[in-house]
């Protein structure tokens, strides 16, 4: 059974604000109908509203990666309903899902996922290229975003010329290039040292505080998770706890 902190603010039933993420009864099974059928998620209910900064924590094997793939429209649930920024993910076709990933979700991965042999500037431009943004406009916005994350002087450098922290800052700039409804960080500090992790988290906090970005952080680092507004604990494919984060003072 899920344990929810009842002191957390919940929008009133007549609140016109609609959730960014609305999941009900999400199950995920593999090898369906076979003797080795395996269920990873056992009925996830999750609601996240615009402007929230939420962390999901859990040990290895808890189902974090499976849940992240469904939230990011990289996979579909076996059972249950999922609406992302008003779109029913269950009924969306592959082309619609591709557009959703490009325009509604900004991904920041542990492994950065930058394109080699392309400059930082070109990497940030890439989502806008796929979205059909004209060259001049996307180049101007890419430069602005790199400046925002402190990477102006490295705009012409390729990924192999950047440190891990610099790569992640470029990845964050790329993630918000198309003004997505949701910024999804999948262990974004997992490959970084503590000092560099602090820099990356400060950027997330700035985006949340100053630009009111909706951010979902999936992590095993409880210290970083507790800087968020809400902390959800995933265990054995279920959300077993929810509490208020302590926040982070700049």
């Amino acid at each position: 059974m899920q344990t929810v902190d009842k002191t957390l603010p919940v929008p009133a039933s007549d609140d016109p604000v609609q959730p960014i993420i609305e999941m009900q009864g999400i199950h995920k099974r593999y090898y369906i109908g076979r003797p080795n059928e395996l269920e990873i998620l056992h009925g996830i209910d999750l609601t996240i509203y615009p402007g929230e900064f939420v962390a999901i924590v859990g040990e290895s094997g808890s189902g974090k990666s499976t849940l992240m793939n469904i939230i990011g429209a990289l996979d579909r649930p076996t059972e249950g309903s999922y609406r992302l920024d008003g779109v029913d993910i269950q009924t969306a076709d592959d082309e619609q899902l591709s557009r959703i990933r490009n325009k509604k979700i900004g991904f920041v991965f542990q492994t950065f996922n930058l394109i080699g042999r392309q400059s930082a500037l070109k990497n940030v431009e890439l989502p806008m290229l796929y979205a059909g943004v004209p060259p001049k406009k996307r180049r101007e916005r890419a430069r602005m975003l790199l400046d925002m994350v402190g990477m102006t002087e490295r705009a012409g450098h390729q990924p192999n010329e950047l440190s891990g922290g610099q790569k992640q800052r470029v990845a964050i700039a790329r993630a918000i290039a198309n003004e997505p409804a949701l910024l999804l960080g999948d262990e974004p500090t997992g490959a970084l040292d503590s000092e560099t992790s602090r820099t990356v988290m400060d950027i997330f906090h700035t985006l949340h505080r100053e630009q009111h970005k909706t951010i979902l952080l999936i992590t095993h680092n409880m210290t970083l998770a507790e800087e968020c507004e809400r902390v959800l604990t995933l265990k054995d494919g279920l959300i077993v706890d929810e509490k208020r984060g302590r926040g982070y003072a700049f």
Side-chain angles (χ1 to χ4, degrees):
M1 178 178 292
Q2 300 182 11
T3 303
V4 179
D5 183 349
K6 299 300 184 181
T7 66
L8 292 170
V10 178
S13 59
D14 59 351
D15 195 314
V17 177
Q18 297 299 310
I20 293 291
I21 291 174
E22 191 171 17
M23 288 183 156
Q24 294 182 338
I26 294 295
H27 292 253
K28 182 60 181 180
R29 305 184 189 95
Y30 296 95
Y31 316 115
I32 296 173
R34 301 179 187 178
N36 59 338
E37 180 172 322
L38 178 64
E39 183 169 282
I40 303 298
L41 301 180
H42 306 300
I44 298 289
D45 296 332
L46 175 63
T47 303
I48 296 177
Y49 284 88
E52 284 197 283
F53 193 168
V54 179
I56 295 178
V57 298
E59 297 178 354
S60 178
S62 62
K64 294 196 309 297
S65 295
T66 301
L67 180 59
M68 189 280 294
N69 286 337
I70 293 174
I71 291 171
L74 298 167
D75 198 1
R76 299 175 190 265
T78 307
E79 181 183 331
S81 65
Y82 174 30
R83 297 185 71 83
L84 174 64
D85 198 26
V87 177
D88 187 346
I89 297 300
Q90 285 290 73
T91 61
D93 60 29
D94 290 343
E95 185 177 344
Q96 289 172 317
L97 290 179
S98 180
R99 289 198 300 270
I100 287 167
R101 290 190 294 268
N102 178 246
K103 295 186 177 182
K104 288 188 177 292
I105 308 171
F107 293 94
V108 183
F109 296 100
Q110 177 178 342
T111 52
F112 319 123
N113 286 18
L114 299 180
I115 305 300
R117 298 187 180 181
Q118 293 288 334
S119 68
L121 184 69
K122 291 293 186 182
N123 268 277
V124 177
E125 283 188 52
L126 196 59
M128 294 182 281
L129 173 64
Y130 292 148
V133 178
K136 182 179 179 181
K137 185 175 180 180
R138 67 174 183 253
R139 192 171 302 112
E140 290 174 349
R141 177 161 173 78
R143 290 189 183 280
M144 181 272 290
L145 292 171
L146 286 173
D147 181 62
M148 186 185 70
V149 298
M151 288 295 292
T152 299
E153 295 182 357
R154 297 283 182 171
H157 288 65
Q158 296 181 7
N160 63 359
E161 300 172 308
L162 303 175
S163 69
Q166 290 170 338
K167 290 176 185 177
Q168 200 60 297
R169 282 189 274 168
V170 173
I172 293 171
R174 179 187 60 185
I176 60 176
N178 285 333
E179 293 284 356
L182 173 69
L183 186 57
L184 180 58
D186 181 25
E187 297 281 5
T189 64
L192 306 176
D193 60 46
S194 58
E195 182 178 353
T196 309
S197 296
R198 178 73 272 148
T199 299
V200 168
M201 282 299 294
D202 284 349
I203 293 173
F204 280 120
H205 284 296
T206 298
L207 290 170
H208 175 243
R209 187 184 75 251
E210 297 182 1
Q211 299 189 23
H212 310 292
K213 298 293 186 184
T214 306
I215 304 174
L216 178 59
L217 179 70
I218 296 177
T219 181
H220 68 277
N221 189 321
M222 181 58 75
T223 300
L224 295 180
E226 288 180 345
E227 296 179 8
C228 303
E229 294 175 326
R230 285 198 286 151
V231 183
L232 312 180
T233 300
L234 192 65
K235 182 178 180 180
D236 298 330
L238 282 171
I239 294 175
V240 297
D241 184 57
E242 176 176 348
K243 65 181 180 180
R244 187 187 302 275
R246 59 177 171 78
Y248 178 66
F250 281 80

